[in-house]
Amino acid sequence: MNLILLGAPGAGKGTQAEKLVNKLSIPAISTGNMLREAIANGTDLGKEAKKYMDEGNLVPDELILGIVAERVAKPDCANGFILDGVPRTLAQAEALEAKGVRIDHVISIEVNDQDIAQRMGGRRVCSKCGASYHVVAKPPKKDGVCDSCGGALIIRKDDAPETVLKRLEVYHASTEVLKDFYAKLGRLRIVNGNQSIEGANEEILKAIGAKA
Ligand code: AMP
């Protein structure tokens, strides 16, 4: 099963992707995590991407499409994958279609902008494996430490309030249009993200016809 998770920054895509990985036994592909890893490793891609990410802007389509095409071709994607945070523009969605990347369901996790802005203050991510946490909604077992890999939890630089506003603006201007694109293809499933993590997860599983 090939899935796309759509939604504004902070809607819960990363958290739901982690739950779906366990439930469906297919990998999650987060372009945001891949780019942050490239930055941490000081690669050319990382250096190029950082300029855009720090400002809350999107990284150019051609850079994204290269890393996604390479990743979905890996053997662990043979039974399916979850795209988290990609596609983010019409050009990216069209390029995936043109490459013949089959998509079964596109899940749009909906949260209003005011709630997003509030949520982002509590978000923490693992500096090593990219796992998502929230100080209230999803605290780690040990303060500041990742449950999965023991890495240090950090606040993302682009979660600063002014950058969050910019990212929301970019979402509405460039990404939200993908809902129409996939609705026309009959693949869009809307899920309410303004509820508990478990509640949203149950809705997603129902929407894709999987058992809770
Ligand atoms: P995320 O972790 O998904 O919130 O992504 C963090 C940042 O990485 C975004 O604000 C963009 O700058 C960049 N990014 C991640 N995925 C994409 C994508 N599919 N297209 C363009 N930029 C992306």
Side-chain angles (χ1 to χ4, degrees), residues 32-93:
N33 283 352
M34 290 164 90
L35 294 170
R36 280 184 288 278
E37 203 180 308
I39 292 173
N41 291 333
T43 66
D44 288 344
L45 168 70
K47 283 180 197 143
E48 180 66 13
K50 188 176 187 316
K51 299 186 277 193
Y52 300 94
M53 292 169 76
D54 282 352
E55 300 292 317
N57 286 315
L58 294 180
V59 171
D61 291 331
E62 53 281 13
L63 293 182
I64 298 292
L65 288 166
I67 60 174
V68 173
E70 207 176 289
R71 182 65 189 86
V72 297
K74 293 211 166 137
D76 65 333
C77 291
N79 291 327
F81 51 78
I82 301 157
L83 295 181
D84 161 11
V86 67
R88 248 176 164 105
T89 63
L90 207 47
Q92 290 177 19

Side-chain angles (χ1 to χ4, degrees), residues 12-162:
K13 300 185 297 292
T15 301
Q16 293 299 336
E18 282 166 34
K19 291 188 83 67
L20 292 170
V21 164
N22 292 330
K23 185 83 195 169
L24 306 172
S25 303
I26 51 176
I29 299 171
S30 156
T31 39
N33 283 352
M34 290 164 90
L35 294 170
R36 280 184 288 278
E37 203 180 308
I39 292 173
N41 291 333
T43 66
D44 288 344
L45 168 70
K47 283 180 197 143
E48 180 66 13
K50 188 176 187 316
K51 299 186 277 193
Y52 300 94
M53 292 169 76
D54 282 352
E55 300 292 317
N57 286 315
L58 294 180
V59 171
D61 291 331
E62 53 281 13
L63 293 182
I64 298 292
L65 288 166
I67 60 174
V68 173
E70 207 176 289
R71 182 65 189 86
V72 297
K74 293 211 166 137
D76 65 333
C77 291
N79 291 327
F81 51 78
I82 301 157
L83 295 181
D84 161 11
V86 67
R88 248 176 164 105
T89 63
L90 207 47
Q92 290 177 19
E94 284 168 349
L96 288 179
E97 291 292 310
K99 280 184 202 290
V101 177
R102 183 180 53 80
I103 301 296
D104 300 296
H105 305 281
V106 177
I107 300 141
S108 175
I109 307 176
E110 312 255 320
V111 178
N112 65 46
D113 286 8
Q114 289 89 330
D115 288 327
I116 293 280
Q118 268 179 4
R119 271 185 192 196
M120 294 299 246
R123 174 149 86 169
R124 302 289 181 271
V125 294
C126 175
S127 54
K128 244 165 106 187
C129 74
S132 318
Y133 294 87
H134 189 277
V135 291
V136 179
K138 195 192 167 200
K141 290 192 182 93
K142 191 172 169 217
D143 223 17
V145 180
C146 177
D147 293 348
S148 328
C149 76
L153 301 188
I154 55 163
I155 297 177
R156 271 169 54 173
K157 193 171 177 206
D158 61 349
D159 278 352
E162 60 280 12

